[in-house]
Structure formats: C-alpha cells, structure tokens
Amino acid sequence: MEVLTNPSVNHFFDWVIQTTVLASIMTVLILLIKAVMKNRLKPGWHYVLWLLLMLRLLIPSGPQTEFSIYNLFPWTGAATQSAAIPPAISPGDEGKSPSSPQAFLPAIHPESSGPHTVDSMIGSSNRWSLKRVMISIWLAIAVLLLIHLLAVNLLFSMKLHRKAQPASEDEVMVLEEAKKAMGIRRRVRLTYSSVVPTPTLFGWIRPHLVMPMNSKSLGVEQRQHIYLHELAHMKRGDIVVNWLMHLVLVLHWFNPLLWYALFRMREDQELAADALALRKIEPERVAEYGHTVITLLERTKQRAHIPGAAGLSGSKQQLKRRIIMIKNFRRRSVGWTVVGLALVVALSGCALTNGKTASNGDASPPPATTPAKEAPTETQSDAQGKDAGEGDAQGTKDAQNGSAADTSSKSGTPSSNHTDSNQGSTGSSGAKQTSSGGSVTSGHERQLKDIYALAKKGKVQGADFVAGKTLIDEIHAAWGDPDRPWQPNDRYAYDSYSPGAGRGTYAFGIGRGEVVYDIRYFGSQADKSVAFNQISFAEIQNTFGKPSSMKTNSGDDILTYELGAYELKFVGPHKTARLDHISVYSPKAAAPMGGSTK
C-alpha cells in the first residue's frame, strides 16, 4: 500500500502512460513510412526507424518544437503539459483564477460548506481510487513479466551450458575468418546444441554462437554465410537492443501496438543483418548466401524470442521479402542512402520532440504562483471590450456568493473598475512599490512566525497536509469532496475547500502523480484582528527581513521566502500592499520527474 501512495510511483506511472501514447503515434507514423518506401529503402534504414521508437520510449521528455507531429494532436500536447507540471501559476494567465478565495469557490459560501475537519478522516488508508487500482494492476503484471523475462533467459543459458558440444578446430577457423571479414576481435565461443532450432548468438558480455545439430552437414561456404550473419548481429549490438526493447515492453505491456512494433523490429533486424553480411562477401556469392538462408528457414520452426539472443530466424511470411532483398541487393546506393538519412532526421525532429501548447509556448516558466486577479465583472468587461458573456457569468457568481463577495471586498480585493497600470511588470521597481505602498501595520509578529514555522514543514494553519508529499486522494478522504473541484478547462488543477467553523479557505494545486505541490491558505475572517487583510507587506518584511524575491504581476505583489525544500509566498493586491493569501509551494514536486523549477 505504501508503494501505491508513493509520489515517485505516481510520477513514473504518469510518465509511462504519456510515453505509450506518444510512442503509439510514432509507431503508426513509422508503419506508414515503411508502407510507402517498401523495398526502395535499405534494410538498415528500416531498422534504424525502430531504434528511434525505442529512444522515444526511453527518454523522459523531448524538447518542445513547432515541428513536432504531436502538434496535430492537441490532447497529446495537453498530456505532455500535465505530465510536466507547470512550476507555477502565473498571474494573468487565467482570467478565471483570481487571487481571492471566492475565485476558487465561485458558488460556495466560504463558511457554510460543512465541518469537513481533519478529525473527520475515516478510512483514508483504505480508500482505493481508480488510479491506485490501475497502478497496482500495472505494477503487478510488470513485475511478473520481468521475472518471466529473466527466468526464460536464465533457463536458456542453463540448457546451453548442459547440452553444448564444442565445435571442431576446422569450424573454429572458418569462424575466425568470418570475424576478420566483419572486423570483430572479441572472443566468440562456438558450439553445437539441440536446444536451438536455428543458428543463435547468445550473450553480449561473453558471446556464444550456438549452431543446431542438423547444421553439421552444411558445407564450409554455407557455414561461413551463417557465421557472417550472426556476427552482423554482434557488430550492430542487436542483443543489447533486444534487451532494452523487452525491458521497455515490461512497462508498456498493456499496449498491443508496441508488441507489434517489437515483432516488426525483429524482422527488420534480420534483414539488416543480412544486408551487412552480404556486404562482406563477393558479389558472385550473393545468390549462394540467399540459398543458405532459404534452406535454413524452410527446415526449421520459428522459435520464441529471447532477449539475450539474436539469430538467423524469421517467419515464412518474411521469406518472400528476404528473397527480394537478397536478389536486388546493391552495395552502394548513394541516392537512397541520402533518402534514408533524411527520413531519420525528419522522424527525429517531429517524433522525438514534444508539441507546443498554448500553456507551454513560453520559453521560460511563469514567475509566480499567484492566480490572476478577479475575473472581469460586467462593468469591467464592457470597459475593456471583453466578451459580455464572461461578465454575466461573473455577476451570477457574485450573486451566488452572497456574503462571500462582501468578505472579498473587505479583504482588500480591488474594485471591479480598478485597472493597474503596472500590470504584468516584474523586477526591482515592483518590489519598491510593494514595500512603500499601503499603510504599515503591526502586532502580527507572532502570527507571521507561526505561518513561517509551519511553512518550513510544508504546511499551513488548520490543514495537516504536506506540500510535495500528500496525495489529493488523502485530502478527499479527510475533507470529503472539494467545494470547488478543478474543471477540465482549468489551466492548472486546483481543488478548493472552505471547511467552515471560521477556518477559512484552502486551495490545493494538483501535480504529477496527484501529488499536492502547492497549498494556499486565504486565512479566516472570523477574527478580524488576525485576518490576512490586516497584515501589510511592510510588516512582513520587518518581521522576516528582505525576501528571496519580490515581484509584481497582474496587480498582485508576491514576496517569496525560500525555506529549504519549500517556498513561502505572501500574495496580495498591489494597490493595498496587504496580504490576501499565502502559498506553501514545493518546487521539487512541481517540476517534471522531481527536477527543479529553477
């Protein structure tokens, strides 16, 4: 159970799902390219296309470009963005995300949504969300497949060790000639065994070439053809590729398209080995090589793929394609080599990159964690030439909020006709205005120090949850359903609560793996003496000294103090220079795969 609630496991599962979607699209693209090019493209280039797919499955994320094929799939771009959680919510990014608590609870009275307290937690440890069930099934099958993969490889190795018969010196000499032709200096053990139905190269650290017992009747030239083919697998590192692809499919076992991609990759791997072997023999012996391959394939059954092995194998359906390739083999074809190289470069550029979305088009991450100021009312909408429908919606929300809207007004939220001439500005000038604007308050030193002490632990007052560690499911189990859950059209995911009993309003930012990376607290209006709008930014700086950074953005001032693994941010309207809410933020949990946002 602890494994399923581990944020790292949730992060990794999200990455697997995202990657399998991107790889599926890339697989379809590769199949289309192969269908168009067919035999005009050299076998080696066909094989390289699959290596690019494997790279797509291995890399955490690609750079965002306008040339990515995933720009054609907006939902894929959204998946990429949600997997790489935005490090911050930028002021002005979302017109429907004001900094006041009423923005998070548009139709909820802050003090009337019920006593959902931490003490009411019931069976949270036994609560199984759909995602946890999916993770548990995925993880269990992946572990079983990994065990099976290792066991099959180990058993095959043990059988070879027991039943291997050493080759004669003459046969070893033929192998040495083939190694010299292929440019291989490593020692390769040569044996015969009844375990393998076809010639097989097994192992990478200590390569072992195993010949089937019925191949003893083959002539010297036929054996040399076989040795060249098997050494071609060794030269290209196919055993390592097979291991990597099988291990990747352990994670993506649920995707049949990727299993089909493995099947097609192994077919192209055989053809690429044929092509490399043919380049090492005389042109007049090409037909003899083809006869050797056909003879072996016709008299043997196709064996199951073993990750640690590569051999002269293939299906009967593939036989026709191999015959055509050998018959039309050309050692030099500059034109098609250029075409193959161009295809690889183009595929890398459009499929190994991530698409740009509206939310990730900027080169740098948003600078602050504060949502934008209040959405325009009808008056503001008309004044700024915005959509009147948005103003109507805001008016409806205000009517629904009732006393909540009054509370927001008392807390120092700018009036609807306020326009900030400095909106969107950042830097030292904004910081100076922050420290000088508004009246200086006093008497809140103890309250501020309590906020500071809790923030160092990743917490805020009245909520026993930790930024960067708590899962949103744990909050749902403790406090019930959110008063304002995040919506699919929200730019960033925030669940908001107003637990009642004068405790104030909370908003929880949901990151990768459903980990809460940002906890915002808007304070309580029950006791006006400790209400956040009674605290000025000047008093905050007098208490803690100069902050790590000070910014003004979209009408909000943000004072940030770095507290080890967390950032404590004081956010409030620039006009009043007073506190509206605090944010306890985990940069590590907000960054892709636990990286840094800086």
Side-chain angles (χ1 to χ4, degrees):
M1 185 65 182
E2 292 181 0
V3 174
L4 300 181
T5 58
N6 189 312
S8 297
V9 174
N10 281 262
H11 291 172
F12 191 71
F13 180 74
D14 288 344
W15 174 74
V16 169
I17 297 300
Q18 172 203 343
T19 304
T20 204
V21 172
L22 301 180
S24 297
I25 296 173
M26 187 174 180
T27 300
V28 173
L29 180 60
I30 291 174
L31 292 174
L32 289 175
I33 293 174
K34 289 172 61 63
V36 172
M37 301 307 297
K38 294 183 179 178
N39 296 321
R40 290 187 291 271
L41 198 63
K42 288 185 176 182
W45 292 114
H46 281 275
Y47 184 45
V48 170
L49 295 179
W50 296 119
L51 298 184
L52 293 180
L53 174 65
M54 186 177 69
L55 184 60
R56 171 79 267 184
L57 290 165
L58 291 173
I59 59 175
S61 180
Q64 297 170 0
T65 69
E66 296 177 355
F67 306 103
S68 174
I69 189 177
Y70 307 118
N71 287 316
L72 301 177
F73 306 92
W75 52 272
T76 303
T80 302
Q81 178 65 11
S82 65
I85 283 299
I89 294 183
S90 175
D93 278 349
E94 186 59 59
K96 297 181 181 180
S97 297
S99 62
S100 63
Q102 284 68 36
F104 291 102
L105 305 169
I108 303 295
H109 290 266
E111 306 299 333
S112 62
S113 56
H116 300 300
T117 65
V118 176
D119 295 333
S120 66
M121 182 182 296
I122 300 177
S124 62
S125 61
N126 295 324
R127 177 189 171 99
W128 278 64
S129 67
L130 176 60
K131 183 174 182 180
R132 288 188 185 178
V133 172
M134 292 172 60
I135 292 176
S136 63
I137 294 174
W138 165 75
L139 193 58
I141 296 179
V143 170
L144 290 175
L145 282 176
L146 180 60
I147 294 173
H148 175 265
L149 194 66
L150 297 175
V152 166
N153 208 71
L154 180 62
L155 290 174
F156 185 75
S157 177
M158 293 171 63
K159 286 182 179 180
L160 287 181
H161 183 73
R162 288 199 309 264
K163 299 183 179 182
Q165 298 180 10
S168 66
E169 292 185 4
D170 292 339
E171 291 166 336
V172 172
M173 289 300 297
V174 176
L175 175 62
E176 289 299 321
E177 292 178 4
K179 285 172 56 181
K180 184 177 180 181
M182 194 62 67
I184 293 177
R185 297 182 179 181
R186 294 178 60 190
R187 180 179 180 274
V188 179
R189 183 186 177 197
L190 177 63
T191 61
Y192 285 87
S193 176
S194 59
V195 174
V196 296
T198 61
T200 301
L201 181 70
F202 180 74
W204 172 250
I205 298 176
R206 290 180 294 180
H208 183 185
L209 178 53
V210 188
M211 299 288 288
M213 298 300 293
N214 60 7
S215 64
K216 287 185 176 182
S217 59
L218 296 175
V220 174
E221 288 189 359
Q222 289 178 312
R223 287 203 300 271
Q224 188 177 42
H225 295 159
I226 294 172
Y227 297 158
L228 286 172
H229 179 94
E230 298 307 315
L231 293 173
H233 283 301
M234 183 176 175
K235 183 82 171 180
R236 300 176 65 92
D238 290 340
I239 292 178
V240 175
V241 171
N242 293 342
W243 263 116
L244 287 175
M245 198 63 181
H246 277 85
L247 290 175
V248 163
L249 283 177
V250 165
L251 301 177
H252 298 270
W253 56 262
F254 52 86
N255 190 336
L257 193 58
L258 294 183
W259 285 102
Y260 178 68
L262 172 64
F263 171 75
R264 294 294 299 271
M265 187 198 79
R266 295 293 291 252
E267 283 191 339
D268 286 333
Q269 186 181 89
E270 289 299 310
L271 288 173
D274 283 336
L276 181 56
L278 288 171
R279 288 202 294 270
K280 304 300 179 180
I281 65 177
E282 293 80 3
E284 59 272 13
R285 294 172 58 192
V286 169
E288 296 176 8
Y289 178 91
H291 179 72
T292 301
V293 171
I294 294 170
T295 301
L296 282 173
L297 292 180
E298 285 182 338
R299 72 162 95 168
T300 58
K301 294 182 179 180
Q302 188 176 9
R303 58 176 170 79
H305 290 311
I306 297 174
L312 202 159
S313 62
S315 63
K316 299 295 175 64
Q317 293 81 3
Q318 187 193 14
L319 185 58
K320 180 180 178 181
R321 186 182 169 200
R322 293 181 89 158
I323 293 173
I324 294 174
M325 189 277 294
I326 295 172
K327 180 181 178 181
N328 299 327
F329 176 75
R330 296 292 182 273
R331 294 175 184 275
R332 299 293 179 185
S333 180
V334 177
W336 286 112
T337 298
V338 173
V339 171
L341 181 61
L343 281 173
V344 169
V345 173
L347 185 62
S348 300
C350 70
L352 295 182
T353 57
N354 291 343
K356 280 193 174 183
T357 64
S359 59
N360 61 24
D362 297 329
S364 59
T369 60
T370 312
K373 288 309 295 178
E374 194 167 0
T377 61
E378 294 180 17
T379 304
Q380 185 181 10
S381 173
D382 295 337
Q384 296 180 352
K386 299 237 178 132
D387 186 4
E390 182 177 346
D392 294 338
Q394 180 65 26
T396 303
K397 291 177 182 178
D398 291 342
Q400 291 172 326
N401 281 335
S403 61
D406 297 335
T407 303
S408 175
S409 176
K410 292 177 184 178
S411 67
T413 304
S415 59
S416 61
N417 60 357
H418 168 66
T419 37
D420 192 345
S421 61
N422 293 320
Q423 188 172 19
S425 64
T426 60
S428 59
S429 59
K432 291 178 182 178
Q433 292 170 0
T434 297
S435 60
S436 61
S439 59
V440 179
T441 59
S442 62
H444 301 90
E445 182 179 357
R446 181 72 267 164
Q447 181 183 359
L448 289 171
K449 288 185 176 180
D450 288 342
I451 291 173
Y452 191 91
L454 284 171
K456 291 179 71 174
K457 301 176 182 178
K459 299 181 179 181
V460 299
Q461 180 183 353
D464 194 22
F465 309 119
V466 181
K469 296 182 179 180
T470 298
L471 299 178
I472 193 62
D473 280 350
E474 298 174 38
I475 298 175
H476 292 167
W479 286 9
D481 294 332
D483 295 319
R484 199 280 186 184
W486 75 276
Q487 305 299 318
N489 59 342
D490 289 346
R491 187 161 191 174
Y492 303 119
Y494 274 80
D495 278 357
S496 303
Y497 288 86
S498 183
R503 294 174 57 200
T505 303
Y506 301 83
F508 301 95
I510 308 168
R512 281 186 81 173
E514 299 187 352
V515 178
V516 173
Y517 69 95
D518 185 16
I519 302 178
R520 302 184 184 186
Y521 180 48
F522 293 83
S524 171
Q525 297 293 325
D527 185 351
K528 298 298 181 183
S529 64
V530 294
F532 279 0
N533 65 341
Q534 301 299 314
I535 304 175
S536 67
F537 286 150
E539 183 178 0
I540 293 172
Q541 294 186 65
N542 289 338
T543 303
F544 301 127
K546 183 179 179 180
S548 304
S549 67
M550 297 183 288
K551 299 176 183 178
T552 300
N553 205 333
S554 294
D556 272 338
D557 288 342
I558 306 108
L559 276 63
T560 302
Y561 292 87
E562 295 182 357
L563 309 178
Y566 302 102
E567 293 178 0
L568 171 60
K569 309 202 177 192
F570 297 94
V571 185
H574 176 79
K575 183 178 181 181
T576 63
R578 295 209 177 186
L579 182 61
D580 178 80
H581 69 271
I582 63 171
S583 166
V584 176
Y585 177 76
S586 170
K588 183 177 180 180
M593 296 304 294
S596 174
T597 62
K598 298 179 181 178

